[in-house]
Amino acid sequence: MKRRQARELALQALFQLDNHEISIEEAIGHVTEETDPFLTQVVTGVVNYKEEIDATLTDKLENWSLSRLPKIERTVLRIAVFELLYNKETPAKVVINEALEISKIFGDEKSSRFVNGVLSKYTEQ
């Protein structure tokens, strides 16, 4: 499974977890029958580090609260921030580009611009 597909499935699995009280394994099982280590790593990582991820996102959001974000944007951001902070094997540019592409697929026309604006703050020094 390619990483793009794993990220898209991670988005769907995390969406399941946000809406239902099920296990990580069940959420992944609802979106694919394949087992993929990267998919499992991303979903598990976002769930395990959700508080830390949300805290950093809250610091980066301007004029927004995390709870007001549409679920798609919030979940795409959580996946990307997990990769940026805890899974350093993928370059930041790639992580951000993947998040933008996924937000274009699952979000509306403004989603990718919003996601880009937030994630670009993680690369500013």
Side-chain angles (χ1 to χ4, degrees), residues 49-63:
Y49 293 103
K50 186 176 175 183
E51 286 183 29
E52 293 92 338
I53 291 167
D54 286 357
T56 67
L57 277 170
T58 300
D59 290 341
K60 306 287 186 206
L61 293 173
E62 293 177 17
N63 304 318

Side-chain angles (χ1 to χ4, degrees), residues 38-99:
F38 182 71
L39 169 61
T40 303
Q41 177 188 28
V42 170
V43 174
T44 303
V46 170
V47 169
N48 289 342
Y49 293 103
K50 186 176 175 183
E51 286 183 29
E52 293 92 338
I53 291 167
D54 286 357
T56 67
L57 277 170
T58 300
D59 290 341
K60 306 287 186 206
L61 293 173
E62 293 177 17
N63 304 318
W64 282 92
S65 66
L66 199 58
S67 61
R68 278 189 50 223
L69 289 181
K71 284 186 180 185
I72 293 294
E73 285 87 341
R74 184 173 55 228
T75 308
V76 168
L77 287 168
R78 284 176 175 159
I79 292 168
V81 171
F82 166 73
E83 285 195 75
L84 291 171
L85 298 180
Y86 301 104
N87 186 10
K88 306 266 186 187
E89 69 185 53
T90 307
K93 279 182 165 180
V94 174
V95 170
I96 292 170
N97 186 55
E98 289 287 292

Side-chain angles (χ1 to χ4, degrees), residues 10-56:
L11 173 76
Q12 295 170 31
L14 289 164
F15 212 83
Q16 293 272 332
L17 288 165
D18 262 357
N19 294 310
H20 307 287
E21 289 192 28
I22 57 176
S23 70
I24 291 171
E25 294 78 18
E26 287 174 304
I28 292 172
H30 283 290
V31 298
T32 185
E33 293 181 7
E34 289 183 57
T35 56
D36 182 78
F38 182 71
L39 169 61
T40 303
Q41 177 188 28
V42 170
V43 174
T44 303
V46 170
V47 169
N48 289 342
Y49 293 103
K50 186 176 175 183
E51 286 183 29
E52 293 92 338
I53 291 167
D54 286 357
T56 67

